Amino acid sequence: MIDHAHDLDAVREATDRLLSATEKLDDATLAQPSRLPGWSRGHVVAHLSRNADALVNVLQGRPMYADSETRDRDIERDAPRPKAEQLADLAGSAARFLDAASAPADWSRTVTMRNGVTDSASRIPFRRRVEVELHHVDLGIGYELEDLPEEFVDREIDFLAERFGQHPEVVSTGVAADDGRFWTTGGGAEGGPVVVRGTAPELLGWLCGRRDGSALTVEGGPLPVLPPL
């Protein structure tokens, strides 16, 4: 059961952590590479700002982005801005999202995301939380997957295990956390089954493409190669 009010509170907390951390950066640090190939930290911050506004569009019944080219162009335009402009935009866009997501609405309605993907409106706060939490890690400024709230890690593994379920390129795969939690995914490709074991943060890192899986152990075959998200 999705609790959008709970998720909205969690977005606020994650946003506060992000804003506190980015406030300590300077122009030179923002211009340095992030952990995402080809993106500086400024690109990551600009993306988070534009994503907040895009999700406001979704909640208010407009297209998420005009088109992919506009999305990419806006990020490139905003990435090199000085810290003061970047952080004012990050805070302002986050506030606009929180305001829009706090308005009374039918949270059971279906909304349209990028590329025609549809979802329940009630999931939008969690989608924003994913953006804020994972891209905070991508900045490479001291916030790691191990620092993510355990409840968030569990839910994101749930989401990614479901996303890769029956994927034609992924063999049947068990995902086993050291503390006993277990998920299943894949199953659309020949081979397997395999069981991938490790800590929940390492499992999440592998599933979301943030880590290479070298810290994981695999039974029954090689570590599955996951398609990009």
Side-chain angles (χ1 to χ4, degrees), residues 147-165:
D147 298 314
L148 294 169
E150 182 177 304
E151 172 257 354
F152 171 80
V153 172
D154 284 356
R155 287 182 62 190
E156 184 61 358
I157 292 177
D158 284 343
F159 172 78
L160 293 171
E162 181 179 347
R163 178 163 181 165
F164 292 127

Side-chain angles (χ1 to χ4, degrees), residues 164-175 184-196 206 218-227:
F164 292 127
Q166 297 302 312
H167 194 285
E169 298 176 21
V170 183
V171 302
S172 178
T173 304
V175 180
T184 58
T185 192
E190 294 184 4
V194 300
V195 176
V196 181
W206 168 62
V218 191
E219 303 166 6
L223 183 70
V225 176
L226 300 175

Side-chain angles (χ1 to χ4, degrees), residues 1-4 6-7 122 155:
M1 179 69 70
I2 298 294
D3 184 344
H4 81 275
H6 163 80
D7 288 339
S122 63
R155 287 182 62 190

